[in-house]
Amino acid sequence: MLYLAILNYNTNYNKKIIYFNFLKIKKNIFILKLKKKKFKLFLNIKQTIFFFFFFKILFKLKFKNNLLFFIFIKKEIKSNLDGIFKLFLISIKKKSNILNLNKIFLKLKNLIWTNIGCFDIKDFLTFKFNKINLTIESIDKIPYLTKYFVPKNIRISNTNRVRLGCFISEGVTIMSEGYVNFNTFIGKNCMIEGRVSAGVYISNNTDIGGSCSIMGTLSGGGSNIISIGNNCLLGANSGIGISLGNNCIIEAGLYITSGTKISLIFKNNKIIIKAKTLSFLNNLIFYRNSINGRIECCKNNFNSEKINKDLHKN
């Protein structure tokens, strides 16, 4: 799929583009082909629409530092501009699971993000910021979400902990210690107080407790996407490296990876299995037996409607 964007950009001292805002986005742009008949050019309806759209773009491009940008979203990332644009598409809910983010960290450029704009690191060291109230917000390849996009009906207590490239649905609350990485999905009415790593998928009405952690696909996390179902609860300081079905609970302070040994009763027999065997199953509670120290699992009979819904309103 081909996307076209009109963007406004800034360059560094070497005239390379380092910062850009997307002014207009258009998808499925077709290539113009003119029909020749007796040395005269004739336009069909699609071509007429194309020219109308194209000339409107040219009118907008009369301003300085604007350009047209074409991108095939299924091809791997080729440049800093390419990578930021794909992350932007995820955040504005245009595309997510079909985007090719391969080589994103190899192609993205480390930049200095401030309250007055974005700077190349080498350029920044040569500037003299006299009488300017300058705040360095981050030195990173990926900016905050709110540098490019302000989502609707979402509460974010600390915006510098939410990166561009995350898909956040309406009704979500992200508290001060909550962290959301790029290439993540968060469903409606979730409460995020822990860390949501890259590659994680969270469904609706789920609570991610304070300081809890979800294993992602970066830094040795593997290629398996961790998925959490609807109406789940991860207790404070807990963590998971397996996927959960709907209505599941992880006890506070308990970290479960795919190889963790779980004790449970199956057909009236006590058995021990690896945690990954229970991935995607619904209505489970994971907890540590305070007497013998074993990690156990049983059926969840907890009524999710008893969770404080006022916390999810924003």
Side-chain angles (χ1 to χ4, degrees):
M1 182 180 294
L2 177 66
Y3 268 77
L4 176 146
I6 306 172
L7 55 89
N8 178 266
Y9 66 91
N10 293 328
T11 62
N12 61 10
Y13 276 0
N14 295 324
K15 304 301 181 183
K16 292 183 179 180
I17 296 175
I18 60 168
Y19 180 75
F20 30 83
N21 278 319
F22 303 104
L23 307 179
K24 179 73 175 179
I25 296 176
K26 181 75 175 177
K27 68 177 180 179
N28 293 330
I29 302 300
F30 55 88
I31 303 302
L32 177 67
K33 293 183 179 179
L34 297 177
K35 295 181 179 179
K36 288 186 178 182
K37 187 176 182 181
K38 295 182 180 180
F39 304 103
K40 293 183 179 181
L41 297 178
F42 297 89
L43 300 179
N44 59 29
I45 295 177
K46 284 187 176 181
Q47 292 165 347
T48 303
I49 295 174
F50 178 88
F51 270 113
F52 178 75
F53 177 71
F54 186 71
F55 281 120
K56 287 187 69 176
I57 290 176
L58 289 180
F59 176 75
K60 293 180 180 179
L61 290 179
K62 69 180 182 180
F63 300 104
K64 187 179 180 181
N65 287 6
N66 287 346
L67 57 78
L68 288 174
F69 175 66
F70 294 87
I71 179 176
F72 288 94
I73 62 175
K74 290 188 177 181
K75 291 187 177 181
E76 68 179 28
I77 292 172
K78 301 295 183 182
S79 67
N80 188 67
L81 196 158
D82 186 7
I84 294 294
F85 182 59
K86 285 184 176 180
L87 296 177
F88 180 72
L89 286 179
I90 295 175
S91 291
I92 63 173
K93 304 176 178 61
K94 291 290 185 181
K95 293 293 175 184
S96 55
N97 60 338
I98 67 172
L99 287 173
N100 186 342
L101 299 179
N102 290 343
K103 297 184 179 180
I104 186 168
F105 282 109
L106 294 177
K107 299 300 181 179
L108 289 184
K109 185 176 179 60
N110 216 25
L111 300 171
I112 295 179
W113 302 87
T114 76
N115 60 318
I116 63 170
C118 177
F119 299 92
D120 184 285
I121 295 177
K122 292 182 180 179
D123 291 349
F124 186 84
L125 297 176
T126 63
F127 292 157
K128 294 182 179 179
F129 298 98
N130 294 326
K131 298 181 180 180
I132 295 179
N133 186 14
L134 177 71
T135 301
I136 297 178
E137 298 171 339
S138 67
I139 304 174
D140 201 356
K141 295 176 181 289
I142 301 176
Y144 309 154
L145 171 69
T146 51
K147 281 291 184 182
Y148 281 91
F149 176 67
V150 178
K152 294 181 180 179
N153 300 322
I154 292 171
R155 183 154 54 102
I156 303 176
S157 179
N158 193 352
T159 57
N160 66 1
R161 295 182 64 82
V162 181
R163 299 177 97 186
L164 183 70
C166 59
F167 187 115
I168 304 178
S169 304
E170 292 189 3
V172 170
T173 297
I174 303 173
M175 297 305 293
S176 297
E177 294 305 315
Y179 173 78
V180 182
N181 209 341
F182 76 99
N183 197 24
T184 53
F185 178 93
I186 300 178
K188 295 180 179 180
N189 304 317
C190 290
M191 171 69 74
I192 308 298
E193 298 181 85
R195 192 184 78 212
V196 182
S197 302
V200 170
Y201 183 101
I202 301 175
S203 298
N204 303 328
N205 306 307
T206 286
D207 280 16
I208 308 300
S211 299
C212 94
S213 177
I214 305 170
M215 188 178 294
T217 54
L218 301 178
S219 301
S223 58
N224 293 329
I225 294 175
I226 300 299
S227 171
I228 301 176
N230 298 315
N231 306 308
C232 290
L233 173 62
L234 272 64
N237 297 304
S238 66
I240 57 169
I242 64 171
S243 293
L244 301 177
N246 299 325
N247 307 306
C248 290
I249 297 175
I250 306 293
E251 181 188 56
L254 178 62
Y255 202 116
I256 298 176
T257 62
S258 61
T260 301
K261 300 296 191 299
I262 306 292
S263 176
L264 72 160
I265 297 177
F266 180 72
K267 293 183 179 181
N268 296 322
N269 294 317
K270 290 184 177 181
I271 62 173
I272 296 178
I273 61 176
K274 289 186 177 180
K276 65 179 180 181
T277 309
L278 301 174
S279 289
F280 299 106
L281 296 184
N282 300 326
N283 304 306
L284 297 178
I285 295 180
F286 296 86
Y287 60 95
R288 186 180 296 278
N289 188 311
S290 60
I291 297 176
N292 56 33
R294 289 181 178 177
I295 299 175
E296 299 179 350
C297 176
C298 67
K299 185 177 180 181
N300 176 20
N301 295 315
F302 180 72
N303 185 357
S304 62
E305 293 183 357
K306 292 181 180 179
I307 293 177
N308 189 349
K309 292 185 178 181
D310 290 340
L311 292 177
H312 293 258
K313 292 181 180 180
N314 55 18

